[in-house]
Amino acid sequence: MRIALPGGEHVLREPVTWGRPEVPARSRTVYAAAHVVADPLGDNTPGSRAAVDWDATLRFRHHLWSHGLRVADAMDTAQRNMGLDWAATRELIRRSATEAKAFGDPAALVACGAGTDQAPDARTLREVVAAYAEQIETVRDAGAGVIVMASRQLAAIARGPEDYHRVYGELLSQTDRPVILHWLGEMFDPLLAGYWGSRDVAEATASFLSLIHDHAARVDGVKVSLLDAEHEIGLREALPEGVRLYTGDDFNYPSLIRSGSHALLGIFDAIAPAAASALQALDAGDLGRYDEIMDPTVPLSRKIFEAPTYNYKTGIVFLAWLNGHQDAFSMVNGAQAARSLPHLAEVFRLADRAGLLADPELAVFRMRSLLAVNGL
């Protein structure tokens, strides 16, 4: 099958049939950060309240669970701070945790982001703590695990590491079960520059590690999204025993997982069938097969997450649309317009090369429709 794309004709490979594992991966704990499906008939223009297609959104979580992956929900992949308002986020948390019961314990199958985005005008540490506490309580009441997200409001008012320790120390002292802490780099959100109290990564890391060592019993793991493999390995080795490193490195994840990191990745939304198969190979000690599956996904991921990195959600949703997981290529906040047509055409090519177009005929039909709408 052939398709004319910007940049030249592409000949599609034979489709790959990925199996579904009988049991989840044992050697690594793995979360796929999941996107939300916008209601194509809703007013999802920039600045509007999010209108979500809940049925399609929950079906996609079933897709991820069916491949043995856990779901990280209400995170940046779900457009937190980029269109998914708190009302929609609260509903997403409740619905995802309820839906997870069909597969098992929601606390084991879904972890949700708790942040401070419902309090954009917070001006004191006390107000930041109160905003965090409200969202943590929402996640706990739903029965899901808690991921303490980085806070734009805290980044704006913190004077140094001591303010981060004060806020996080108070939150961790109140947790009833271990949580995941999230360090999101400024390439994902420029408003988080200098998180943990310094723009110097080494100083910020020292502050972060100090906090974790002080509260190790209350920290399940840390999710690090800095796109720096060497830094991640050093941090992983410095963590207290029993605290996991969940890689959030969408550039270097195969080698980091191979060498011992767990995972909480946005790219696993798009490559779930391949990732699940690779993890089964890792469990079996078949590193050759693991590399054979994972290596072709890296060019795809690097394209989706290329600068400006925070627009990666567009490529994630684009692939979900190509693969029939949703009926429209639309996003809350109008974010489907955040990437160019040549960019999306290259995502199409690379997804095909990685064996991640589940139904090539459908994918080609939809890609041709997108090209036609754009005059090609």
Side-chain angles (χ1 to χ4, degrees):
M1 188 179 303
R2 300 170 182 269
I3 181 171
L5 296 171
E9 185 179 72
H10 176 72
V11 179
L12 279 77
R13 62 174 290 173
E14 288 298 314
V16 176
T17 301
W18 301 102
R20 283 183 166 81
E22 294 183 4
V23 295
R26 300 182 302 275
S27 56
R28 301 291 187 273
T29 300
V30 178
Y31 290 87
H35 74 282
V36 293
V37 180
D39 179 354
L41 298 180
D43 180 7
N44 278 303
T45 51
S48 299
R49 294 173 66 88
V52 178
D53 180 339
W54 292 113
D55 289 342
T57 292
L58 295 174
R59 280 198 305 271
F60 191 79
R61 280 135 186 81
H62 276 257
H63 160 70
L64 297 174
W65 288 319
S66 74
H67 283 285
L69 303 178
R70 302 183 185 206
V71 169
D73 222 331
M75 301 288 290
D76 45 299
T77 304
Q79 294 181 248
R80 291 294 293 276
N81 291 308
M82 291 189 71
L84 195 74
D85 55 87
W86 173 234
T89 298
R90 189 169 50 222
E91 185 70 6
L92 175 64
I93 291 167
R94 184 187 67 79
R95 287 176 180 259
S96 279
T98 298
E99 205 72 15
K101 293 176 183 177
F103 288 83
D105 179 7
L109 291 173
V110 59
C112 296
T116 63
D117 48 325
Q118 85 280 32
D121 297 325
R123 293 292 179 267
T124 68
L125 297 182
R126 175 55 47 200
E127 290 172 335
V128 169
V129 169
Y132 262 132
E134 178 189 359
Q135 294 203 12
I136 289 172
E137 191 65 24
T138 297
V139 176
R140 284 165 42 179
D141 284 350
V146 174
I147 303 169
V148 183
M149 299 177 67
S151 165
R152 286 179 171 183
Q153 287 68 41
L154 179 55
I157 65 176
R159 295 164 297 178
E162 66 282 354
D163 285 345
Y164 287 92
H165 284 237
R166 186 174 300 119
V167 168
Y168 279 84
E170 183 168 346
L171 295 172
L172 290 169
S173 69
Q174 299 172 10
T175 58
D176 59 350
R177 61 186 299 169
V179 303
I180 297 172
L181 301 181
H182 189 189
W183 185 357
L184 190 67
E186 62 185 286
M187 68 288 292
F188 289 92
D189 187 344
L191 294 179
L192 297 176
Y195 215 75
W196 305 115
S198 176
R199 288 180 176 267
D200 181 271
V201 174
E203 291 180 6
T205 301
S207 170
F208 189 43
L209 281 169
S210 174
L211 173 73
I212 295 163
H213 278 274
D214 286 347
H215 301 277
R218 297 178 183 273
V219 180
D220 166 77
V222 298
K223 195 265 193 181
V224 182
S225 302
L226 299 183
L227 305 183
D228 184 335
E230 184 177 351
H231 173 268
E232 179 174 315
I233 291 170
L235 176 59
R236 187 176 72 198
E237 293 173 349
L239 290 172
E241 185 176 356
V243 177
R244 298 182 179 97
L245 191 297
Y246 293 99
T247 185
D249 188 331
D250 299 280
F251 284 2
N252 304 295
Y253 54 93
S255 62
L256 289 165
I257 294 170
R258 199 182 198 272
S259 66
S261 289
H262 301 271
L264 198 166
L265 286 160
I267 192 56
F268 275 17
D269 178 297
I271 70 167
S277 293
L279 290 163
Q280 294 295 312
L282 187 64
D283 278 356
D286 189 346
L287 298 181
R289 179 58 177 159
Y290 172 85
D291 292 340
E292 180 185 6
I293 296 170
M294 281 293 212
D295 287 353
T297 71
V298 175
L300 170 64
S301 188
R302 288 183 173 233
K303 185 64 183 178
I304 289 173
F305 284 80
E306 73 180 5
T309 302
Y310 47 78
N311 285 334
Y312 76 88
K313 297 95 170 172
T314 303
I316 296 287
V317 173
F318 174 64
L319 282 181
W321 174 62
L322 289 180
N323 280 314
H325 294 297
Q326 56 193 78
D327 294 332
F329 178 37
S330 60
M331 298 174 68
V332 300
N333 206 40
Q336 68 273 11
R339 293 296 200 187
S340 70
L341 197 59
H343 172 95
L344 296 175
E346 187 63 12
V347 168
F348 181 99
R349 286 191 186 92
L350 294 171
D352 176 56
R353 290 171 186 163
L356 287 164
L357 295 181
D359 182 343
E361 288 188 5
L362 175 65
V364 166
F365 172 77
R366 290 189 166 183
M367 188 71 216
R368 283 175 175 159
S369 298
L370 181 64
L371 293 170
V373 166
N374 286 275
L376 298 176

